[in-house]
Amino acid sequence: MEVHVSRAVSRFRRPLTLLAGAALLAPLALTGAPSASAEDRYTVTPLEFTVRAGGRSCTVDADLYRPAGVDAEHPAPAVLATNGFGGSKSDGSTDVIGKAFAERGYVGLVYSGLGFGKSGCLITLDAPAIDGVAASGLVDFLAGTRAADDGTRADYVTSDAPGDPVVGMIGGSYGGAVQLATASTDHRVDALVPLITWNDLAYSLAPNASDAVRGVSSDTPGVFKWQWTNGFYLIGEGQPLLVPSLDPSRFGSLTCLHFAAQACDTIRLLNSGRYPAAATRDMLTYARGVSPASYLSGVKAPTLLVQGQADSLFNLNEATATYRTLAAQGTTTKMIWQAWGHSGGSVPGELDLATGNLETSYVGQRILAWFDRYLRHDESSDTGPEFAYYRDWASGYGTAAAVPARSRTMYLSGDGALVDSRSEVVAGSRRYTNWLLPSSHSESSLAGLIGLPDPAPYDTRGTHLGWTSPPLTAPLDVVGAPKATLKVVSPAAERAQSSGDAADRLVLFTKVYDVAPDGTQKLVNRLVAPVRVPDVTRPFTVELPGIVHRYEAGHRLRFVIAASDTAYFGNRGIKPVTVVSAPQDTGVLELPVVG
């Protein structure tokens, strides 16, 4: 039995699948043309496994890559990988992991994640107790303690101890989070390389850039990121409904055949635009429960985090939250901010499947060194600095011992200036009013994702406020997440927030532009910070998405508060906002600056 969604959904699904799969989850590739055929260098064996996860038996579809010469007398370490959301073991990016590592003498096992390709069971958003358990069953196979359904055994993987294979995991996005989910409960996994993945899905799908209680997590429901969320919902529902994945409990809901029930409930609640207390608590609990933010304490494997600077789905703040948690608990971890992410950003010389530059790209070299050190136990392998970031204004990566602290403070003056000293603040007040429809545009829209023209970022007069600095006298290099401390006045929002429905609280969006001498402005990687203000009567702090950007001499910084954004749900009703500035009480913008 096979059921497909409409052609319209299929047309929409393809570009997003490419973003989440082949285009952005291509961490590995071959360098140069091999002198021998692939058959002489490794063999590929299709396998199926039946694993018990989440109270159900799930079929897992996999391919085993065995390098030539590897046998019980000559074992090799293994690499385990799965696809990004909407992909499969053979999506053109996942299978290249098996090929690339087999070329380098590793046993590769790549598989289609649960609910994707020909693997059964429901999509459970990389839940440790389900997706993590399924992956752990494949680790059993690599340990030689279980066979595939056809009786195939892998008795040629290097081991740390009986039943404990030497195995690393690699993959991006959906294939990144599953590594952390697996390693949190199965400590046989020896090394992780999660690329462009999340820390807290509650933040990813409905971010609140204010009121963070741990990392990026907030107890105040965020602002629904409807474009990305519904795009991935359509990808999930666009999967073929194969016999191995049939679940009679889903047939009563023709609008949610492929996802676990709680995932469906979360999507419905977000789309409703309402956040009643009990349902909201359940939503946050579920989304956070399947997220690394909830289980990182169990992750002990050395972890190399790679996150994309051009990524409005899982921004740099998510990787930073994971990095800081792992480091604080003593887990060996390092972090790289590369150019590309879910929103594009590929540049020449960066890690790229199409050009096959694993050995010549910076990130590719770091990945090889990471596995050399923790899978081949090469003590001489240099795994690189603690933190590295891609610079588009200089050759190579910048490095540091930690993510830079905020070191430049600016103030929001009443006359619309962004000044360096509180004494320069001019007393005054300014006001904007939201429309019932979005009046600002920042992130790439659905039009851009399906290949239609996507307008440049804009803000409509009267629906935003901006503060602009004088021209810079020297270049300013910002590396990290800017932070703004704000206080606004909105009697309408104050009245509305007393209703008890979190959706009635004030919503606003903050961002920082680079304004050139000719007046043209650039929103770095088109990133914006959505805020559902916890209490409009009190000051609040906003952590903007992390960026890596040089503001050149002669350019100006422009900090903007906007009433809405096309990629998000906004305010319910009209809520005029006034920002009052005075030398003794004004908004503050803090920038993490290097150099």
Side-chain angles (χ1 to χ4, degrees):
M1 176 181 176
E2 188 168 320
V3 178
H4 291 279
V5 293
S6 68
R7 291 182 180 179
V9 171
S10 298
R11 285 197 300 269
F12 175 65
R13 178 167 58 90
R14 177 173 172 78
L16 279 177
T17 303
L18 291 174
L19 283 173
L24 294 182
L25 307 185
L28 301 169
L30 308 183
T31 302
S35 57
S37 66
E39 292 78 4
D40 295 329
R41 302 190 305 277
Y42 58 84
T43 59
V44 184
T45 305
L47 298 174
E48 285 190 352
F49 300 88
T50 301
V51 298
R52 190 75 181 170
R56 292 193 60 205
S57 291
C58 304
T59 298
V60 177
D61 185 34
D63 283 336
L64 175 66
Y65 292 78
R66 179 176 177 177
V70 171
D71 55 30
E73 299 299 319
H74 306 89
V79 171
L80 179 65
T82 188
N83 51 274
F85 199 93
S88 71
K89 69 174 186 178
S90 54
D91 61 13
S93 57
T94 309
D95 63 349
V96 79
I97 296 175
K99 296 172 185 176
F101 277 105
E103 293 278 359
R104 292 165 176 81
Y106 291 90
V107 176
L109 183 61
V110 299
Y111 68 100
S112 299
L114 299 185
F116 295 104
K118 294 182 179 180
S119 288
C121 286
L122 297 171
I123 299 169
T124 52
L125 305 180
D126 280 342
I130 301 177
D131 300 89
V133 166
S136 185
L138 302 188
V139 175
D140 291 338
F141 169 76
L142 295 171
T145 58
R146 69 164 294 172
D149 290 355
D150 67 356
T152 299
R153 289 188 174 272
D155 59 355
Y156 41 78
V157 175
T158 310
S159 63
D160 292 316
D164 184 358
V166 176
V167 56
M169 296 184 73
I170 187 171
S173 196
Y174 202 74
V178 74
Q179 300 173 48
L180 298 163
T182 304
S184 69
T185 57
D186 192 336
H187 294 162
R188 295 175 298 173
V189 178
D190 297 285
L192 309 176
V193 184
L195 295 95
I196 60 173
T197 197
W198 67 87
N199 172 267
D200 183 357
L201 275 179
Y203 172 85
S204 309
L205 305 182
N208 191 3
S210 183
D211 193 36
V213 293
R214 184 179 72 252
V216 294
S217 300
S218 170
D219 286 337
T220 303
V223 187
F224 180 34
K225 191 185 292 183
W226 71 272
Q227 292 188 353
W228 275 118
T229 304
N230 285 311
F232 280 104
Y233 166 74
L234 290 175
I235 290 175
E237 287 302 280
Q239 299 299 304
L241 191 61
L242 302 174
V243 172
S245 65
L246 292 177
D247 183 345
S249 70
R250 313 309 301 135
F251 294 156
S253 174
L254 295 178
T255 60
C256 200
L257 289 170
H258 292 271
F259 289 88
Q262 286 177 294
C264 301
D265 292 343
T266 296
I267 294 170
R268 291 191 187 104
L269 177 63
L270 290 169
N271 274 304
S272 75
R274 299 193 63 84
Y275 298 93
T280 299
R281 183 173 60 252
D282 292 344
M283 177 194 75
L284 292 173
T285 299
Y286 175 73
R288 198 159 293 151
V290 297
S291 297
S294 292
Y295 55 72
L296 283 175
S297 60
V299 176
K300 309 301 180 184
T303 302
L304 177 63
L305 295 162
V306 181
Q307 202 77 349
Q309 295 172 23
D311 202 323
S312 60
L313 178 61
F314 306 135
N315 64 38
L316 297 177
N317 298 12
E318 300 223 46
T320 302
T322 299
Y323 168 79
R324 286 175 171 158
T325 299
L326 292 176
Q329 69 190 29
T331 299
T332 299
T333 184
K334 295 184 177 182
M335 181 168 63
I336 303 171
W337 290 353
Q338 64 180 12
W340 56 261
H342 288 86
S343 303
S346 296
V347 295
E350 278 279 81
L351 187 65
D352 178 24
L353 173 63
T355 59
N357 61 348
L358 181 59
E359 276 84 1
T360 60
S361 66
Y362 177 82
V363 175
Q365 293 170 358
R366 293 285 302 272
I367 292 170
L368 288 177
W370 198 256
F371 283 162
D372 281 348
R373 173 65 182 83
Y374 296 109
L375 299 185
R376 287 185 167 144
H377 305 301
D378 180 359
E379 299 288 342
S380 66
S381 180
D382 182 3
T383 59
E386 293 297 310
F387 172 58
Y389 53 94
Y390 175 77
R391 302 174 299 182
D392 63 2
W393 67 87
S395 60
Y397 274 67
T399 63
V403 179
R406 299 177 182 93
S407 57
R408 178 162 181 169
T409 302
M410 307 183 81
Y411 301 90
L412 280 58
S413 179
D415 59 357
L418 189 61
V419 298
D420 287 313
S421 170
R422 192 178 290 275
S423 63
E424 298 176 74
V425 173
V426 174
S429 64
R430 304 165 71 215
R431 183 176 183 269
Y432 72 81
T433 301
N434 66 291
W435 294 353
L436 294 180
L437 295 175
S439 55
S440 289
H441 178 66
S442 299
E443 297 178 2
S444 295
S445 68
L446 290 177
L449 293 175
I450 61 177
L452 298 176
D454 186 32
Y458 65 81
D459 298 292
T460 303
R461 183 185 297 274
T463 66
H464 73 286
L465 295 175
W467 291 261
T468 307
S469 75
L472 297 171
T473 58
L476 182 71
D477 297 340
V478 176
V479 178
K483 182 174 73 173
T485 301
L486 305 170
K487 187 175 187 307
V488 301
V489 177
S490 179
E494 188 174 343
R495 290 190 298 271
Q497 77 179 22
S498 63
S499 70
D501 187 339
D504 278 328
R505 295 178 183 174
L506 178 66
V507 170
L508 54 82
F509 300 81
T510 67
K511 45 196 169 181
V512 180
Y513 286 94
D514 179 339
V515 183
D518 64 2
T520 58
Q521 59 182 21
K522 174 184 180 181
L523 182 59
V524 180
N525 286 321
R526 303 185 66 155
L527 296 173
V528 63
V531 176
R532 190 180 300 279
V533 180
D535 184 350
V536 76
T537 66
R538 303 172 62 86
F540 56 96
T541 298
V542 180
E543 184 170 66
L544 282 74
I547 59 172
V548 177
H549 183 67
R550 166 167 285 186
Y551 293 84
E552 296 286 359
H555 287 226
R556 295 172 291 160
L557 282 78
R558 187 165 190 256
F559 176 75
V560 167
I561 301 175
S564 61
D565 199 274
T566 54
Y568 298 84
F569 278 13
N571 288 289
R572 293 203 304 187
I574 301 298
K575 297 182 174 71
V577 171
T578 300
V579 178
V580 179
S581 297
Q584 70 276 12
D585 183 16
T586 188
V588 178
L589 176 66
E590 299 174 77
L591 302 169
V593 176
V594 300

